[in-house]
Amino acid sequence: MRNVTTLIEQMTLEEKAGLCSGDNFWRTKGVERLGIPAINLSDGPHGLRAQGEEQDHLGVNESKPATCFPTAAGLASSWSVDLLEQLGAALGDEAQAEGLHVVLGPGANIKRSPLCGRNFEYFSEDPLLSSHLAAAHIRGTQSRGVGSSLKHFAANNQEHRRMSVDARIDERTLREIYLASFEHAVKEAQPWTVMCAYNRVNGEYCSEHRRLLTDILRDEWGFEGFVVSDWAAVNERVPGLVAGMELEMPASGGERDAQIVAAVREGQLDEAVLDQAVARLLTVFFRAVDARLEDAGFDAEAHHQLARRIARESMVLLQNDGTLPLANEQRVAVIGEFAERPRYQGGGSSHVNATRVEPLLEALETRGASFDYTKGFEIDRDAPDQQLEQDAATAASHADVAVLCLGLPDRHESEGYDRTHLDLPANQLALIEAVTAAQPNTVVVLANGAPIVMPWAGRVSAILEGYLGGQAVGAAVADLLYGEVSPGGKLAETFPQRLEDNPVHLNFPGEGDVVRYGEGIFVGYRYHDTHDVAPLFPFGHGLSYSHFDYANLTLSADTFNGDDQLTVSLDITNSGEREASEIVQLYLSDQTQTVPVAAQALRGFDRVTLAPGATERVEMTLSRRDFCWYDAERADWRLPTGSFEIRVGASSRDIRLTQCLEVRGDKTPLPAIDRNTLLGDLKAHDGAVRILREHLADIAEELPMLNDLMGRGGGDDLMDAMGHYLPLRAMISFSGFTEARLEALLKDLRATASAD
Ligand code: BGC
């Protein structure tokens, strides 16, 4: 490793400023005379988009062939850190083969609304699941000597006005939901780079948000790499550098390098800030070139098979009346153009030039299945076509079962814009009507990056959510339809019955450039469960061809005070007749009533694969933070006191085992003491109560609203409430209390507070 400090001393001001932006779309600048290398960055996150000489931003020009894995929406439904790590490692291998140093991904933004056009690229509505899967993705890639760029930091939860919108989020929600989705991945996997988002958060562009990029990311979470701007996310370069955004991408034609130089020369920017940024860049640049494997290659067929395995572990069987799995001898009518032209990835910067694509028709031919194909609808049009529907109905009526391949065409969801509704195109809806009228055994296979509504669900026998299944999508679907493997994926997001049931409905996509996160922490299932709004398919839901029994829940302790970890153990038995995997979910229900909380929150998960009849003991651990809420006033995580229910189940709405746990939380801190402090807020503190009683003894005689405080029983609800919500200064209005006495009281209370 070179001595970075010595190199910086040898660099000119211009060279240092130049290092802080790209040379072209995908490459940084080097300094040849000093042996400082340039590095190559490329999208990500579920396949590479390495471009040659013909470069562009959003995938207009073809990139080199690479394996297209399922996108994050599907990956997340595997709930498998192992698979995510394997995928990350495969990306790392391909990056080595293409001479890339950093892969731009994964994306850990929360799915706030199902309408967000880029949800296919994000993992979940739940921060724990999202950040654990992101961490695994990063671990895998970086294990191959290739860096990850965790993106888009932070609160980039919509595409509408994505480069200017201001996400207004209260601090508790930001911490518990939107930042938490990145936090574990940063702390645990230490990505080489973090990409700041386009949007603003509470008034500041992310690219110049010092609190996000330095105070939280670096100082609190210990991030050691460099921050790169999303492509063209830079607003003002010099404030961005000061805030902690080291690398601007792509290039700015030297414009903003010159601004940095001028700012140093004019004394507006301390050169030490630039040096620190350059040091961070050089550290990663050298790590990246040192880890380069010359002559690296990858086994395209092995990666295709990995893509197939990941896809089939990720797909979610939403509904099944027993029609699935299909039997080999059944005659199947395969209907829908997606069977021959699959939609297997999303549009925009993550677009991969797949090494090969295996549509369902090809996979069915390979396995010698007995089927006929009819197009049913055209992907490129939305309008119904009676002839196509009629042909499909006829084919369906001659078969034992119909398999309808439906989903969202590319133009319906993409990076760059959001959807406005959750419906399938009209031609597909008409097709469902026609086919189900002709064939009672109809299976729907979906290709979509985010939830759709399904008013037709009651008309079909089975629904397999394939998400955007990557290049081996057809083989994976065939494996599941015919029961080569049992489906094991579960939803990492809620499917609402109606768009209006989604908690952000009134606050999406905002007014002009402002979007208020008015739903607070109640995103996805947190809202549905708390407000008891039945979803179409709940978070964590997914069926199997087998059955699992849950038993013998034990906790390693009956009480918890945050010092040690708590282990939750249970037995899972595969009580069905085929090998299958189960995703066990652990939710905590905070019943302490300290602050408004969601009815339950995911705090652990595990995926186990079991032979028929086999039992495995599953263990999940909980630590202090899992029980905490974020106290914005004190800028810290607080452990409440009271009862929690530990819930273990097969989905958020299929809880199988519960147990209570008493938590002895943090001492409630005294509130800030001033004339507006409420009496009631001091009652939990013995010292404060003692002082209040001393100071108020005489006036309390006349004021029944102080009875409760004085320990005289209270009992009059109105009076007790008046006393509880009484600011200290109001005593002057209700009694002979004086300003001078109030000052003396405040002085004594502050003394107790500081001694506390
Ligand atoms: C996207 C990023 C992507 C970058 C480079 C941006 O438009 O938001 O996710 O990595 O382009 O293609």
Side-chain angles (χ1 to χ4, degrees), residues 26 43 49 57-58 104 118 121 151-152 156 162 195 198 230-231 349 415:
W26 307 116
D43 291 298
R49 186 164 69 97
H57 182 202
L58 291 178
L104 304 175
R118 221 171 168 183
E121 254 187 277
K151 64 192 188 182
H152 309 92
N156 179 182
R162 68 171 170 164
M195 186 190 291
Y198 282 131
D230 197 346
W231 269 230
S349 61
E415 176 175 343

Side-chain angles (χ1 to χ4, degrees), residues 172-192:
R172 182 177 162 214
T173 300
L174 189 63
R175 294 287 189 153
E176 291 188 18
I177 306 289
Y178 296 96
L179 296 186
S181 191
F182 289 86
E183 183 176 353
H184 173 82
V186 170
K187 287 179 168 168
E188 197 267 337
Q190 206 45 265
W192 291 7

Side-chain angles (χ1 to χ4, degrees), residues 546-562:
S546 198
H547 299 283
F548 293 90
D549 293 334
Y550 288 59
N552 304 327
L553 175 64
T554 54
L555 309 183
S556 57
D558 304 333
T559 58
F560 181 75
N561 64 10

Side-chain angles (χ1 to χ4, degrees), residues 482-517:
Y482 284 90
E484 289 307 326
V485 284
S486 170
K490 296 199 180 191
L491 294 178
E493 61 189 325
T494 305
F495 275 49
Q497 300 205 23
R498 312 174 307 151
L499 176 59
E500 296 77 6
D501 289 347
N502 184 262
V504 314
H505 186 59
L506 298 176
N507 286 301
F508 187 92
E511 292 172 33
D513 268 336
V514 173
V515 54
R516 288 177 207 286
Y517 285 36

